[in-house]
Amino acid sequence: TVRILDNGIERVVVTDDAVRDGDMIYRDYWDGKDENGDFVEPSGRNHQYDVQITAQDIDSLLTSMATVQMTIEVDPLRIYDVSIIPLTLDSPAVVSYQVSEPMKVVTKIFKPGTTLLLGSGDPPAGRLVKRIIGVRPARTQITEYWDGTDLTLSKVPDGNYVFRVYGSTDSEAISSIDGVVTSDALLSPDIIVANIPVMRGGTDDLCGDFVNETFFAPNPYDGISGWFKIPIIINGWASLKMYNIAGDLVYKRNFGDINNPRGSGNNVDGGGGQCSITQSHEACWPKINSYGRTVAPGVYFAVIRFQATEGTRDVCQVIKKILIP
């Protein structure tokens, strides 16, 4: 007889009074369910499972009995073999995985920089980007596709989006509408948290591209129509500071949060209505200081700083030397 004990209490009889021949190796299988057909809770949640095997000699001349017992780890519900393919201009994002038993599985995608706590509870409102919910078969590769749109079907900007995958064999325990879990639901202990890169811009080196593509023209600076080309590859803040050769700050401008760098009409005033970051990310400098006075001829250094508010939240900075004859 083979029994499974939970902290010393019998949960299921795997094999009952089976007759076995001597000097043979036998295998009995347990599917992780109790006598009611429900999966037992995983080990580590105040549960310690023991396999107890009792053998009675059936020879009429012998009456000996032997019992052996050993502790085993029990994790019948698993989500495993997770892999991720980033979203690019040419292909959607892909999250692949397998489940050990048929489960209702939820994949939730959140904005870059979102902190996910333990469990399946959601972060503050406004962080959720997308949800994918459905019943998935066991022991076969599951593929979830994300086209890079949010709940309103608008395209999201580039960045590293945080996602979470969780599931349960009880389909009633998870809402099919919003993925909310009931308080007494038995979830798989594997709650996967990882990132999906979105790279429609085609860059894997944000600061490198920022440094290489930022420039000022014309240089030397004649007239009053000089301008900066500032590549805003993903959402972020941009600022400009101008120093003279002595290191004195002569001009500064914060262009603010540029929320839609690839959109239209997202101009940010750069001071006095004369300078702005436009749709093409250009910012003019009419050769003036912070008081609106024309600066003297000489060498000036422009410090252009960009801080991403999406993705990895990189901070990039470049210095350009400008000559005013």
Side-chain angles (χ1 to χ4, degrees), residues 58-195:
I58 62 175
D59 193 312
S60 60
L61 299 179
L62 299 174
T63 58
S64 61
M65 179 181 290
T67 299
V68 64
Q69 182 170 308
M70 67 179 298
T71 301
I72 60 171
E73 293 292 322
V74 178
D75 287 308
L77 308 182
R78 304 304 304 265
I79 302 175
Y80 57 98
D81 284 352
V82 179
S83 64
I84 304 156
I85 298 177
L87 187 148
T88 65
L89 200 60
D90 301 320
S91 61
V94 178
V95 178
S96 299
Y97 59 89
Q98 293 193 51
V99 291
S100 60
E101 299 292 334
M103 292 188 197
K104 193 173 194 177
V105 181
V106 179
T107 301
K108 287 187 176 181
I109 303 171
F110 301 92
K111 291 181 179 180
T114 301
T115 299
L116 298 180
L117 303 177
L118 295 176
S120 58
D122 287 346
R127 304 300 300 178
L128 180 66
V129 174
K130 203 78 168 183
R131 65 173 72 92
I132 305 169
I133 306 172
V135 176
R136 305 297 184 239
R139 298 178 180 86
T140 185
Q141 196 70 25
I142 310 300
T143 303
E144 312 283 15
Y145 293 94
W146 178 41
D147 61 359
T149 61
D150 59 18
L151 295 173
T152 66
L153 300 183
S154 300
K155 288 186 176 181
V156 301
D158 288 4
N160 285 330
Y161 287 76
V162 184
F163 75 92
R164 171 192 281 148
V165 181
Y166 58 92
S168 173
T169 54
D170 182 3
S171 61
E172 300 297 325
I174 297 178
S175 170
S176 299
I177 299 175
D178 54 15
V180 172
V181 180
T182 58
S183 59
D184 58 346
L186 178 61
L187 294 178
S188 164
D190 299 305
I191 299 179
I192 310 301
V193 176
N195 292 330

Side-chain angles (χ1 to χ4, degrees), residues 249-253 274 285 288-295:
L249 177 65
V250 298
Y251 179 83
K252 66 179 180 179
R253 180 59 55 192
Q274 298 178 340
W285 178 47
I288 60 174
N289 61 21
S290 296
Y291 301 99
R293 299 172 183 172
T294 302
V295 298

